[in-house]
Amino acid sequence: MAYTLSPSPAGPIGTQYCVCKVELSVCGQNLLDRDVTSKSDPFCVLFIEVNGKWTEIDRTETAVNNLNPAFSKKFIVDYHFEEVQKLKFALFDQDKSSMQLYEHDFLGEFSCTLGTIVSSKKITRTLLLGNGKPAGKGIITIAAQELSDNRVITLSMAGRKLDKKDLFGKSDPFLEFYKPGDDGKWMLVHRTEVIKYTLDPVWKPFTVPLVSLCDGDVEKLIKVMCYDYDSDGGHDFIGEFETTVAKMCEAQDTLPLELECINPKKQKKKKNYKNSGVILVKSCKITRDYSFLDYILGGCQLMFTVGIDFTASNGNPRDPSSLHYINPMGTNEYLSAIWAVGQIIQDYDSYLTNLPLTSTPPTHSVLQYFILLIITDGVISDMDETRHAVVQASKLPMSIIIVGVGNADFAAMEFLDGDNRVLRSYTGEEAMRDIVQFVPFREFRSAPKETLAKAVLAELPQQVVQYFKHQNLPPLSSEPA
């Protein structure tokens, strides 16, 4: 098996052409037992096929000592109706803390297209080994849900006087949140972190999509279960309760909502049983996680500007050897780059007037974001000044696309593209965000023009959203959460 490990989980994938976002929930059954003295500790890795290679997208948490895991970590992918998106779900038994997959025991895998999962909504398939044979009786179930609702819910939870479950110490409590599934069974949505040695835990605030927690219905019942963590995976049940998002939203900063944590077995056995502690909802807030499409639909204009390096070293534009050659029979690399980017941006740029680029957030009735396309054939001779200018521009509503034409050494241009490092000015100031995307045109000479457009515009949606979020600017026509 050949897998490519991403430097870090990429999270949501795809570009602005996606139809919608899809959340994939994964659970396994009857997984292979690779551990001698205990059961396997499985985790699932999602891969997508890119140019014939499997590239890692994200991983779930590890389910300790469990051959029938239901992973709370969800995979979120962009669904493109016009593309065949090949996915692979691979399960491993965690043996070490290493991020390298070859350090862990392979439990089986399943491959299919995203379209297959979406069209079925939920599929159950046999896990296969590398030789194509079944991985024992192991099966995988994958459920898909469209994340068309961009509302997110942020919860701050705490506990008070929870039952003591450990013999020589206090409990190590954590919470699990469930919603009703289509099959009538409770479906795990989220699991908090474990708080060690306390009966009065305070969990970190967490944010999940509202559609994940309650299908977007604030009146739908959800179940919250409290456990005492055990390292062998045999967690002790403390108690549970059912509530709704609408009820939890009654919590106020100065007046938390108190919900009794009930253990049904204890409740039946003990006449004077009251509860197994109280769970406090300290805060419950619903907001919107705006996407690039939200801003575009809200009227945001993309203002397109082109800067061309008319260096004399290119020679006479009537000479066929010049990069600026005016070819009566076709085009040159400069025109190809302008066409590739301009054909996409032109649909979003309906204004002929530009606003001055300042660090002051826009106050006019239409949000505007500026895109500067620089086409050059040479190296940078004033790198310090250029770095400083890019760092200052990172505070502004703009992105910079650099296309290198010809066969020059473009290492300096790649340095400005902050994909793998934070760009710093010569003063030491860091760029607030990555706004530069560089591509050498020579890598796309024989490729369709659309390929260049996808490459140079791939990061633009995220850059637009990052800027407006940093300025606390919602789409102008956005609805309240």
Side-chain angles (χ1 to χ4, degrees):
M1 293 174 296
Y3 296 115
T4 301
L5 175 64
S6 299
S8 61
I13 58 176
T15 67
Q16 68 269 34
Y17 306 108
C18 67
V19 175
C20 64
K21 292 187 183 296
V22 176
E23 178 188 76
L24 301 177
S25 302
V26 179
C27 61
Q29 286 181 279
N30 306 318
L31 301 184
L32 291 173
D33 193 353
R34 297 293 195 185
D35 293 342
V36 178
T37 59
S38 62
K39 297 177 182 178
S40 294
D41 306 319
F43 65 94
C44 183
V45 185
L46 174 63
F47 300 87
I48 188 169
E49 188 180 72
V50 179
N51 298 325
K53 296 182 179 180
W54 290 112
T55 301
E56 180 179 339
I57 295 303
D58 208 350
R59 303 183 182 189
T60 67
E61 78 281 10
T62 297
V64 179
N65 200 22
N66 193 340
L67 301 183
N68 301 286
F71 300 106
S72 66
K73 172 67 177 293
K74 312 298 181 184
F75 296 124
I76 299 178
V77 297
D78 286 346
Y79 169 58
H80 301 258
F81 177 77
E82 74 283 3
E83 296 181 11
V84 177
Q85 296 171 272
K86 294 183 179 179
L87 304 179
K88 178 178 287 187
F89 300 83
L91 286 96
F92 297 85
D93 171 26
Q94 181 170 323
D95 289 328
K96 302 178 181 179
S97 59
S98 172
M99 290 293 292
Q100 301 298 328
L101 293 178
Y102 64 79
E103 297 277 4
H104 310 286
D105 293 326
F106 180 57
L107 299 178
E109 65 185 17
F110 168 68
S111 301
C112 67
T113 64
L114 179 57
T116 298
I117 305 173
V118 171
S119 61
S120 302
K121 195 171 182 180
K122 186 177 184 180
I123 62 174
T124 299
R125 296 291 188 272
T126 300
L127 288 169
L128 302 177
L129 297 175
N131 58 11
K133 295 183 179 180
K137 297 181 179 180
I139 60 175
I140 185 172
T141 298
I142 307 163
Q145 180 167 359
E146 180 182 351
L147 293 178
S148 56
D149 189 338
N150 64 2
R151 290 176 297 172
V152 295
I153 181 170
T154 301
L155 286 164
S156 296
M157 310 289 291
R160 188 177 67 211
K161 296 182 179 180
L162 299 180
D163 282 356
K164 178 177 175 293
K165 290 293 184 178
D166 294 340
L167 184 61
F168 299 105
K170 298 180 179 180
S171 294
D172 306 317
F174 67 93
L175 298 177
E176 289 186 342
F177 291 75
Y178 293 81
K179 69 177 179 181
D182 292 337
D183 55 3
K185 298 179 180 179
W186 289 103
M187 179 179 177
L188 178 63
V189 172
H190 180 77
R191 183 183 293 122
T192 69
E193 78 279 13
V194 176
I195 305 297
K196 291 282 191 176
Y197 316 121
T198 181
L199 303 181
D200 303 294
V202 177
W203 290 282
K204 295 178 181 178
F206 64 90
T207 301
V208 296
L210 189 65
V211 70
S212 298
L213 184 61
C214 62
D215 296 329
D217 182 359
V218 297
E219 299 294 344
K220 175 173 283 190
L221 276 179
I222 60 174
K223 177 183 284 189
V224 182
M225 305 183 74
C226 184
Y227 289 92
D228 167 39
Y229 173 83
D230 285 332
S231 58
D232 62 0
H235 311 306
D236 297 320
F237 177 66
I238 294 177
E240 65 184 20
F241 62 88
E242 294 182 8
T243 186
T244 65
V245 169
K247 180 67 176 178
M248 292 192 293
C249 283
E250 295 176 6
Q252 301 177 7
D253 293 335
T254 57
L255 186 61
L257 176 66
E258 298 188 1
L259 298 166
E260 289 188 311
C261 196
I262 303 298
N263 186 321
K265 290 185 179 180
K266 284 189 174 182
Q267 193 177 40
K268 288 181 179 180
K269 290 181 179 179
K270 299 181 179 180
K271 292 183 179 180
N272 60 344
Y273 176 82
K274 184 178 180 182
N275 58 50
S276 293
V278 175
I279 299 298
L280 305 174
V281 183
K282 299 173 61 180
S283 175
C284 177
K285 296 181 180 179
I286 298 176
T287 56
R288 290 193 180 273
D289 186 18
Y290 296 112
S291 67
F292 172 75
L293 190 57
D294 288 325
Y295 283 101
I296 295 300
L297 293 176
C300 177
Q301 295 292 318
L302 303 183
M303 314 302 290
F304 185 44
T305 305
V306 181
I308 299 178
D309 175 15
F310 284 109
T311 176
S313 62
N314 272 329
N316 193 322
R318 295 181 177 85
D319 186 341
S321 64
S322 171
L323 290 173
H324 293 292
Y325 177 52
I326 303 174
N327 189 347
M329 303 301 295
T331 183
N332 57 36
E333 294 187 358
Y334 285 82
L335 290 175
S336 295
I338 295 173
W339 181 90
V341 180
Q343 68 165 342
I344 304 297
I345 301 299
Q346 67 178 353
D347 293 335
Y348 306 99
D349 186 354
S350 61
Y351 284 80
L352 298 178
T353 56
N354 292 342
L355 296 182
L357 292 180
T358 68
S359 57
T360 304
T363 57
H364 46 282
S365 59
V366 176
L367 294 180
Q368 292 179 310
Y369 193 89
F370 296 81
I371 301 165
L372 173 61
L373 171 63
I374 299 176
I375 309 175
T376 180
D377 74 327
V379 298
I380 298 175
S381 58
D382 52 353
M383 177 55 81
D384 285 347
E385 290 80 1
T386 301
R387 285 165 49 201
H388 184 71
V390 171
V391 169
Q392 298 308 310
S394 70
K395 307 172 186 177
L396 308 176
M398 73 175 298
S399 292
I400 302 172
I401 298 170
I402 304 176
V403 177
V405 297
N407 297 310
D409 180 5
F410 294 115
M413 299 295 186
E414 293 174 348
F415 177 79
L416 295 175
D417 191 336
D419 287 344
N420 299 319
R421 68 184 68 85
V422 178
L423 183 68
R424 288 182 172 84
S425 168
Y426 62 82
T427 64
E429 182 181 3
E430 293 185 352
M432 292 183 62
R433 54 197 180 93
D434 174 24
I435 65 169
V436 176
Q437 176 73 3
F438 169 77
V439 296
F441 188 89
R442 56 177 174 250
E443 295 183 1
F444 300 88
R445 282 173 181 158
S446 59
K449 294 179 180 179
E450 293 79 9
T451 307
L452 175 61
K454 289 183 178 181
V456 298
L457 296 173
E459 298 179 5
L460 181 64
Q462 180 182 2
Q463 293 170 356
V464 172
V465 172
Q466 283 179 341
Y467 173 77
F468 289 125
K469 282 188 175 180
H470 188 266
Q471 298 290 346
N472 294 319
L473 287 172
L476 293 179
S477 62
S478 62
E479 299 177 0

